[in-house]
Amino acid sequence: HARVRTAQDVVQHPQAAHLGTFHTVDQPDFGAVLMAATPWTCQPAAPQSAPRIGQDTHYILSTLGLDDARIQQLAASQAIAL
């Protein structure tokens, strides 16, 4: 019978450190966040934080054809975050 490990046990296990199973990413609104690494790499790259809420909203909506006035109107009504 094997012992059931807690999440903390797994994160702190020497094999997880050796394999680079987890890494810390600076998330702008939350600080340092521990994340599971992907099990593959295509090229060496530093871990990136997730986009902030609304970070790409203007770009996406303008790409879909909304003009600046409409986007600002949606933001003012709190229908979207910018």
Side-chain angles (χ1 to χ4, degrees):
H1 296 273
R3 176 173 94 92
V4 176
R5 299 194 183 272
T6 66
Q8 185 174 3
D9 290 340
V10 173
V11 169
Q12 294 176 346
H13 195 279
Q15 188 67 14
H18 173 74
L19 295 173
T21 304
F22 301 97
H23 58 262
T24 302
V25 175
D26 184 36
Q27 186 65 33
D29 295 324
F30 299 100
V33 176
L34 185 67
M35 299 179 70
T38 57
W40 66 88
T41 57
C42 296
Q43 62 184 5
Q48 297 180 352
S49 64
R52 299 176 94 171
I53 293 174
Q55 178 177 325
D56 299 316
T57 303
H58 189 279
Y59 170 76
I60 292 167
L61 293 178
S62 63
T63 300
L64 293 173
L66 278 73
D67 62 18
D68 287 343
R70 180 63 178 139
I71 294 171
Q72 291 304 321
Q73 181 184 36
L74 290 169
S77 70
Q78 297 183 339
I80 62 168
L82 294 177

